[in-house]
C-alpha cells in the first residue's frame, strides 16, 4: 500500500498536481514569530523550526496561537512554523535538518520508526481520534451493521488501520473502495459511506449542502481504543542533544492550545490570519467548526480520560498492537523507548 | 371637534377626509400592484437571463463533452500506441480553443500522455507524462470518479497552479478496453479553463447594481464579485457564517438543479434583493442573478411619487371646489340666520331674504317667513288682549278698594268703650271676593255679621255689596237678627235672576249684660272660646241660605257671654283650605287649633294667630276661597 502523502509529494513534482492542490504556495516563506517583549532577548532564544502536517487550519490552532502570543519566546524558543502538505515530507525535513520538530499521527510515527527513522515522541496533543464513517441514511445506512456488503470509501495508508479494526470489531465486511483526498465520490453517491474526520470532511459534506439529519455518523474512537492522533516528534538525536528544548517545545505548544481553548474567538482570528497569508481556500465557518471539534480531543471532556499533552501507555499499546496485527509494521518500540515524555514536565 | 366649526368647513373637511382615504387606498393599491407587476416582469426577465447564461455555459461544455466522447469512442475502437495517443490528444487541444489540456490515464498504472497549452500563453502545445516520477494519478477525482461511478463526469472546479491561478474544470470519460466492453481501461480527460466563464459572469449586466454568480455542484463559488469567496466559500458555508438558514435552503435548491426566484440578502453588500437561479445541467452548476430590491422599488416609488403628487394637486383643487360648493349651499342659511337674529330682537317687519329654487333651504326660508307673519299677528293680538286685561285688572283693583271700604277696617273700632274687643280680617282669594263681615254699635247693642256669597269674583262682590247695604238698613230698623234675615232674604230673592245666594251669621250682643241673640242663614256656626279653655260651637238654629227662596223663616238663638269669652266667626275659606296634597283643613282641625290658643291673647292676636296657623297648614298652596275671620271678646261690666 503506497503512502498517500509521499505519493502526493511525488505527484507534485511532476507538475500535474500543481492545478489540483487546494493549497496555494507562497514559496518557502517562513512564518516568523513576533518577539515577545516580556520574554528573553532575541539573541538568547534558541532558533527552532516546527513543521506541521498540513497548511494552516484550526487543526494547528494551538501552535499558531502560541507563536502569535509570544508563548514560544517566553519558553526561550525562537520558533519558525513551516506549513506541511503532500509536497513536504516532514521526515525529510527532519533528516535534512530543515526542521527540528514535526507533528505526526501516532500511526504515521510508528510506520516511520518501523522503516528505521529514529523518531522520538515529545508530546501527545490529540489523545482521541476524530475519525469517523459517514453514511447516507437514504441508502439504508442507519447502523454500523448496515455497512456490511456496501461500498464504503476508506482512506489509504496510516489512516486505514482504525477502519479495518472498526469493521472487525463490528464483525462486518463492507466492500472497501479506496478513498482519495476528496469527498466527491461520496457526494456523487459513488459509495454508500466514506471516511471522514469529524472536524474536517464531515463538516465539508455539510458545507456542500447535505444536512446532518441526512447522514449517519459512526465515530471510530472509544474509551477502550482512543486512537491518539497528532503528537510532536523530533529525531532521537535532536532530543538527546538538548532535552530542555523538547520540554520547552511541549510546554509552549500545550500552553498555546490551552490559550486557544480559553479564547476561542481570538484563536479563530489568529488561525484565519495565517489561513489568509497562506491563501488556503477554506472559510471561517469551517475553521470555527474545526476548532470547536478538535478541542475536546485535546482536553478531555471529563476527568480521568487522559492527561492533556501526554501519551497514555495503554493507548500506545493498543494502537501499536493494531498496527502489528494488520501487518502494517513488524514490531513497535517499547513505550519508554518510543516517548521522551516521562522525563519531561509536560503540563 | 367640529362643534364650533361652520357647516361649510365641516362638510369640506369630511368630504376631503373621505376623498383622502379613497385616494390613499388607490395610491396604496397602485403601489402594490405596480410592484407586483414589476416583480412579475423581473421574475420573467431574470429567469430568462439566468437560463440564457446557463445555456451559454452549457453550450461550451456540451461541445467539450462531444469532443471527449468522440475521442473515447475512437480510443475504444482498437489499441493505440503512445505516440498515437499523444497525436490524438494534440489534435483535441489544438482544434478546440476552449480545451486547455487533455490526457489519457490508463488503468492499470502506466504511461499517461498529457498534452496542454504552454503556461506562457504562446499557443504552443506541450507534452507530458503524468506517470513520470511515479505520480499516482489514480488518487484524483478525474480518475476515480469516472472509474467508480462508471460514467463520464465533470469534476469540481479547481485552481491550476501552473497556469497562474487559472480556474479549471475537467471532463473525464471512462474508457473500455477494446474487445472487453465491461473492463475499465482508464480515462480520457479534457481540461477547460474557466477564465472566459468568470469574465462572462462578471461582465453580465444585472440591472444597475445587481450581479451574477456561479456555484459548482457542491455549492462552491466559482464566480462572485467578492473575490475572496471564490473557491473558499460554498453557498452553505456563507449561510453558516452569516447565520442565514434561508440561504442554505436556497443553496440546496440550486444544487438540486432547480430554477427559482426568491427574496435574498445580497452576500456582497447585505442589501435586500431578488435572486434568480438556473442550473447548468451538464456540470450540475447553478447560475445566480442578484437584483437589488431597491432598484425595483425605485421605479415603483417614482411612479407612486408622481401619483401622489398628482393626487395632492387634485386634492387641493377638490378642496377649493368643495369649499365653494359648501359655501354656496350654506350662504342662504347664513342669510336666514342673520335675518332670524334681527327677528329675535322683535323686528318682525324685516322681510326674510328671498331664496331661489325649490330645495330644502328654500322651503326652510318659506316656513320661516310664514312663521314670522304668524308671529307678527300673534304679537299684535297679544298686545290688544294685554291692554284689555290690564284695563280689567285696574278696574278690579279699584273694585277691591271699594269692597274693602265696605267693611270696617279701623281697629280698635270703639276706642271709647272698654267692655268690648273686636278684630277681623277679610282676604279674598282673588282681587275681589264674596266674603264680608260687618259690625256696628247702636246704644248698648253691638251688631255683628259674617257672610259668604256663593261664587267668587266680581258677581260675588257685587252681590256682597248689595247684601251688606240691605242688611245694614234692615237691621237698623228691625234690630232682631231673625226677622232681619227674613226680610233680607225676601229682598235678595226677589228678582234674583242670577240665582246667587249668601250664607250669613248675624248676632247682636247686649253689652251691659252679655246676652247675645243670633240667627244663622246657612253659615258655619261660630265657636265660643270660654275663659276656662273650652271650645264649643254656638248652638245650631234653623235657617237656610239667604237669597235663594222667598218667605223663609229664620230661627233665633240666644246665649249669654261670660266676661272674657270670645266669639270666633269665620267663613268656609278657613275650613275648606287645602294643603298641597289637596287635603281639607276641616272642622276638627279648626276646633283643635282654637283649643290651643292662648286664652289671654287679645282678638287681634287670636285672628292673626289663626291666620298664621292656616298658612302653616296650606304650606304655600294656592288660596282657593275667600278667608274671613272675626273675633269678638266680651269684657263685661258696661262701658
Amino acid at each position: 500500500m503506497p503512502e498517500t502523502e509521499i505519493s502526493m509529494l511525488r505527484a507534485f513534482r511532476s507538475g500535474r498536481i500543481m492545478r489540483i492542490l487546494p493549497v496555494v504556495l507562497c514559496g518557502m516563506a517562513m512564518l516568523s514569530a513576533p518577539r515577545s517583549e516580556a520574554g528573553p532577548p532575541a539573541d538568547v532564544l534558541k532558533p527552532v523550526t516546527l513543521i506541521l502536517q498540513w497548511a494552516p487550519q484550526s487543526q494547528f490552532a494551538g501552535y499558531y496561537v502560541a507563536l502569535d502570543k509570544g508563548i514560544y519566546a517566553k519558553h526561550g524558543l525562537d520558533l519558525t512554523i513551516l506549513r506541511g502538505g503532500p509536497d513536504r515530507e516532514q521526515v525529510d525535513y527532519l533528516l535534512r535538518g530543515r526542521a527540528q520538530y514535526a507533528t505526526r499521527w501516532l500511526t504515521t510515527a510508528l510506520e516511520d520508526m518501523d522503516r528505521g527513522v529514529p523518531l522520538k515522541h515529545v508530546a501527545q496533543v490529540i489523545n482521541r481520534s476524530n475519525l469517523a464513517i459517514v453514511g447516507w441514511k437514504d441508502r439504508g445506512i442507519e447502523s454500523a451493521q448496515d455497512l456490511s456488503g456496501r461500498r464504503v470509501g476508506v482512506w489509504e495508508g496510516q489512516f486505514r488501520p482504525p477502519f479495518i479494526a472498526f469493521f472487525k470489531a463490528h464483525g462486518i465486511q463492507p466492500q472497501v473502495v479506496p478513498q482519495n483526498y476528496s469527498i466527491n465520490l461520496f457526494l456523487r453517491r459513488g459509495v454508500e459511506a466514506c471516511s471522514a474526520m469529524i472536524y474536517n470532511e464531515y463538516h465539508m459534506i455539510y458545507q456542500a449542502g447535505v444536512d446532518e439529519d441526512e447522514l449517519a455518523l459512526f465515530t471510530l474512537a472509544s474509551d477502550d481504543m482512543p486512537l491518539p492522533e497528532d503528537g510532536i516528534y523530533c529525531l532521537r538525536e535532536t532530543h538527546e542533544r538538548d532535552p530542555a528544548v523538547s520540554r520547552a517545545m511541549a510546554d509552549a505548544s500545550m500552553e498555546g492550545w490551552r490559550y486557544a481553548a480559553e479564547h476561542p474567538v481570538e484563536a479563530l482570528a489568529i488561525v484565519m490570519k495565517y489561513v489568509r497569508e497562506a491563501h488556503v481556500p477554506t472559510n471561517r465557518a469551517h475553521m470555527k467548526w474545526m476548532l470547536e471539534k478538535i478541542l475536546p480531543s485535546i482536553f478531555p471532556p471529563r476527568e480521568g480520560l487522559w492527561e492533556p499533552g501526554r501519551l497514555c501507555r495503554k493507548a500506545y499499546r493498543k494502537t501499536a498492537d493494531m498496527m502489528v496485527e494488520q501487518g502494517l509494521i513488524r514490531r513497535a518500540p517499547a513505550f519508554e523507548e518510543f516517548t521522551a515524555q516521562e522525563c519531561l514536565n509536560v503540563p | 371637534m367640529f362643534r364650533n366649526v361652520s357647516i361649510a368647513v365641516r362638510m369640506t373637511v369630511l368630504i376631503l377626509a373621505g376623498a383622502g382615504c379613497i385616494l390613499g387606498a388607490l395610491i396604496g393599491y397602485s403601489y402594490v400592484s405596480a410592484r407586483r407587476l414589476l416583480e412579475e416582469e423581473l421574475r420573467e426577465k431574470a429567469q430568462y437571463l439566468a437560463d440564457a447564461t446557463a445555456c451559454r455555459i452549457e453550450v461550451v461544455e456540451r461541445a467539450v463533452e462531444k469532443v471527449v466522447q468522440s475521442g473515447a469512442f475512437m480510443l475504444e475502437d482498437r489499441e493505440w500506441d503512445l505516440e498515437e495517443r499523444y497525436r490524438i490528444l494534440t489534435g483535441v487541444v489544438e482544434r478546440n480553443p476552449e480545451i486547455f489540456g487533455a490526457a489519457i490515464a490508463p488503468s492499470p498504472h502506466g504511461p499517461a500522455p498529457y498534452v496542454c497549452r504552454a503556461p506562457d500563453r504562446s499557443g504552443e502545445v506541450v507534452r507530458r507524462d503524468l506517470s513520470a516520477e511515479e505520480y499516482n494519478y489514480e488518487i484524483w477525482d478525474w480518475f476515480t470518479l469516472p472509474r467508480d461511478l462508471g460514467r463520464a463526469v465533470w469534476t469540481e472546479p479547481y485552481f491550476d497552479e501552473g497556469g497562474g491561478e487559472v480556474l479549471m474544470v475537467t471532463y473525464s470519460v471512462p474508457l473500455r478496453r477494446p474487445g472487453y466492453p465491461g473492463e475499465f481501461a482508464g480515462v480520457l480527460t479534457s481540461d477547460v479553463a474557466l477564465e472566459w466563464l468568470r469574465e462572462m459572469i462578471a461582465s453580465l449586466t444585472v440591472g444597475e447594481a445587481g450581479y451574477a454568480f456561479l456555484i459548482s455542484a457542491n455549492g462552491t463559488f466559482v464566480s462572485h464579485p467578492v473575490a475572496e469567496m471564490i473557491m473558499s466559500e460554498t453557498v452553505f458555508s456563507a449561510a453558516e457564517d452569516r447565520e442565514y438558514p434561508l440561504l442554505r435552503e436556497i443553496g440546496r435548491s440550486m444544487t438540486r438543479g432547480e430554477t427559482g426566484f426568491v427574496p435574498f440578502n445580497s452576500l456582497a453588500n447585505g442589501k435586500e434583493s431578488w435572486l434568480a437561479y438556473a442550473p447548468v445541467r451538464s456540470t450540475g452548476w447553478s447560475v445566480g442573478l442578484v437584483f437589488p430590491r431597491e432598484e425595483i422599488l425605485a421605479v415603483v416609488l417614482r411612479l407612486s411619487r408622481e401619483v401622489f403628487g398628482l393626487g395632492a394637486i387634485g386634492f387641493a383643487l377638490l378642496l377649493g371646489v368643495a369649499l365653494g360648493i359648501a359655501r354656496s349651499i350654506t350662504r342662504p342659511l347664513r342669510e336666514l340666520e342673520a335675518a332670524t337674529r334681527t327677528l329675535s330682537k322683535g323686528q318682525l317687519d324685516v322681510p326674510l331674504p328671498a331664496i331661489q329654487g325649490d330645495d330644502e333651504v328654500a322651503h326652510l326660508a318659506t316656513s320661516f317667513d310664514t312663521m314670522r307673519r304668524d308671529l307678527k299677528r300673534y304679537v299684535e293680538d297679544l298686545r290688544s288682549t294685554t291692554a284689555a286685561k290690564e284695563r280689567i285688572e285696574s278696574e278690579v283693583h279699584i273694585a277691591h278698594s271699594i269692597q274693602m271700604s265696605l267693611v270696617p277696617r279701623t281697629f280698635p273700632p270703639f276706642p271709647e268703650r272698654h267692655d268690648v274687643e273686636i278684630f277681623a280680617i277679610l282676604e279674598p282669594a282673588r282681587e275681589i271676593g264674596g266674603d264680608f263681615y260687618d259690625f256696628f254699635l247702636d246704644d248698648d247693642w253691638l251688631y255683628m255679621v259674617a257672610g259668604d256669597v256663593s261664587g267668587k269674583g266680581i258677581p260675588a262682590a257685587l252681590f256682597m255689596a248689595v247684601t251688606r247695604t240691605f242688611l245694614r238698613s234692615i237691621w237698623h230698623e228691625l234690630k232682631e237678627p231673625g226677622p232681619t234675615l227674613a226680610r233680607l232674604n225676601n229682598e235678595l230673592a226677589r228678582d234674583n235672576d242670577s240665582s246667587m245666594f249668601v250664607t250669613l251669621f248675624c248676632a247682636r250682643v247686649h253689652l251691659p249684660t252679655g246676652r247675645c241673640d243670633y240667627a244663622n242663614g246657612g253659615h258655619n256656626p261660630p265657636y265660643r272660646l270660654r275663659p276656662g279653655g273650652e271650645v264649643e260651637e254656638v248652638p245650631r238654629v234653623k235657617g237656610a241660605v239667604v237669597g235663594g227662596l222667598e218667605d223663609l223663616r229664620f230661627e233665633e238663638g240666644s246665649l249669654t257671654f261670660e266676661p272674657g269669652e270670645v266669639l270666633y266667626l269665620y267663613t268656609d275659606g278657613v275650613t275648606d283650605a287645602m294643603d298641597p296634597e289637596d287635603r281639607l283643613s276641616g272642622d276638627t282641625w279648626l276646633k283643635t287649633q282654637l283649643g290651643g290658643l292662648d286664652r289671654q291673647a287679645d282678638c287681634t292676636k287670636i285672628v292673626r294667630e289663626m291666620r298664621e296657623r292656616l298658612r302653616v297648614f296650606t304650606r304655600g298652596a294656592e288660596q282657593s276661597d275667600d278667608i274671613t275671620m272675626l273675633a269678638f271678646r266680651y269684657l263685661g261690666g258696661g262701658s
Side-chain angles (χ1 to χ4, degrees), chain A residues 11 16-20 180-182 184-185 187-188 190 203 206-211 214 282-284, chain B residues 130 135 139-142 148-149 154 158-161 191 218 232-234 236-237 240-241 248 252:
Chain A
R16 167 70 166 174
I17 200 168
M18 299 277 275
R19 58 202 168 84
I20 305 168
N180 64 10
Y181 66 95
S182 87
N184 286 325
L185 189 60
L187 289 176
R188 295 186 190 200
H203 191 248
Y206 176 78
Q207 285 201 337
V210 182
D211 287 345
E214 295 178 89
T282 187
N283 55 71
R284 215 174 67 90
Chain B
L130 293 180
Y135 170 41
I139 64 165
W140 302 106
D141 276 354
W142 56 262
D148 295 335
L149 294 171
W154 283 95
Y158 53 86
F159 271 118
D160 177 67
E161 299 300 329
D191 306 334
N218 285 0
S232 62
E233 293 268 10
T234 70
F236 307 104
S237 74
E240 191 181 348
D241 197 40
R248 189 173 172 86
R252 281 170 68 89

Side-chain angles (χ1 to χ4, degrees), chain B residues 129 172 248 313 499 510 523:
Chain B
D129 181 4
S172 186
R248 189 173 172 86
I313 294 169
S499 298
H510 187 238
H523 199 77

Side-chain angles (χ1 to χ4, degrees), chain B residues 323-583:
Chain B
L323 208 60
I325 291 172
R327 282 189 175 282
S328 77
I329 291 173
T330 57
R331 192 190 310 118
L333 280 178
R334 282 199 306 279
E335 287 172 4
L336 209 56
E337 189 249 345
T340 48
R341 215 182 281 261
T342 316
L343 281 185
S344 72
K345 287 175 189 156
Q347 298 173 29
L348 297 175
D349 295 331
V350 178
L352 288 174
I355 286 160
Q356 303 300 319
D358 190 32
D359 57 7
E360 292 89 336
V361 179
H363 292 170
L364 182 69
T366 311
S367 304
F368 252 86
D369 202 42
T370 309
M371 189 185 83
R372 178 186 69 85
R373 275 185 268 112
D374 289 353
L375 207 58
K376 194 173 159 193
R377 196 179 309 128
Y378 175 73
V379 165
E380 276 162 7
D381 288 356
L382 193 64
R383 197 172 288 148
S384 58
T385 310
T386 307
K389 192 176 168 232
E390 276 170 0
R391 194 173 59 242
I392 289 165
E393 271 175 2
S394 92
E395 284 168 5
V396 169
H397 193 70
I398 294 165
H400 173 76
S401 303
I402 293 169
Q403 191 183 27
M404 283 301 136
S405 69
L406 289 179
V407 301
R409 288 199 299 166
T410 309
F411 296 102
F414 318 115
E416 70 283 0
R417 292 196 71 108
H418 303 290
D419 51 357
V420 65
E421 205 180 279
I422 194 161
F423 185 77
I425 57 166
L426 169 59
E427 285 182 17
R430 298 182 193 158
E431 195 80 26
I432 49 179
D435 275 20
F436 77 100
Y437 67 86
D438 203 3
F439 53 80
F440 56 88
L441 208 58
D442 188 8
D443 295 332
D444 284 336
W445 291 90
L446 176 72
Y447 294 85
M448 292 182 289
V449 65
D452 181 5
V453 178
S454 64
K456 289 187 206 58
I458 293 169
L462 287 174
F463 200 76
M464 166 256 180
V466 171
T467 308
R468 188 236 176 228
T469 311
F470 270 123
L471 181 64
R472 266 219 178 187
S473 65
I474 294 168
W475 217 348
H476 273 294
E477 186 190 335
L478 298 181
K479 307 291 186 194
E480 287 175 2
T484 303
L485 280 185
R487 171 89 67 86
L488 179 65
N489 180 48
N490 287 340
E491 292 296 340
L492 290 177
R494 191 181 304 135
D495 305 325
N496 184 2
D497 295 336
S498 61
S499 298
M500 296 184 78
F501 60 88
V502 60
T503 64
L504 285 168
F505 181 84
C506 300
R508 62 168 189 167
V509 182
H510 187 238
L511 295 172
T513 60
R515 194 175 66 90
C516 172
D517 303 321
Y518 61 94
N520 192 348
H523 199 77
N524 309 51
Y527 283 97
R528 295 175 69 184
L529 310 182
R530 299 294 189 104
E534 302 88 356
V535 176
E536 51 191 55
E537 229 175 51
V538 170
R540 288 177 186 260
V541 287
K542 285 181 183 165
V545 293
V546 182
L549 291 167
E550 281 183 74
D551 297 329
L552 292 175
R553 212 178 63 82
F554 293 89
E555 195 183 348
E556 208 165 84
S558 183
L559 52 88
T560 305
F561 291 125
E562 298 171 51
E565 191 176 336
V566 172
L567 184 68
Y568 176 81
L569 280 69
Y570 64 98
T571 59
D572 56 5
V574 175
T575 50
D576 291 349
M578 285 191 283
D579 66 7
E581 287 81 39
D582 289 350
R583 286 181 298 224

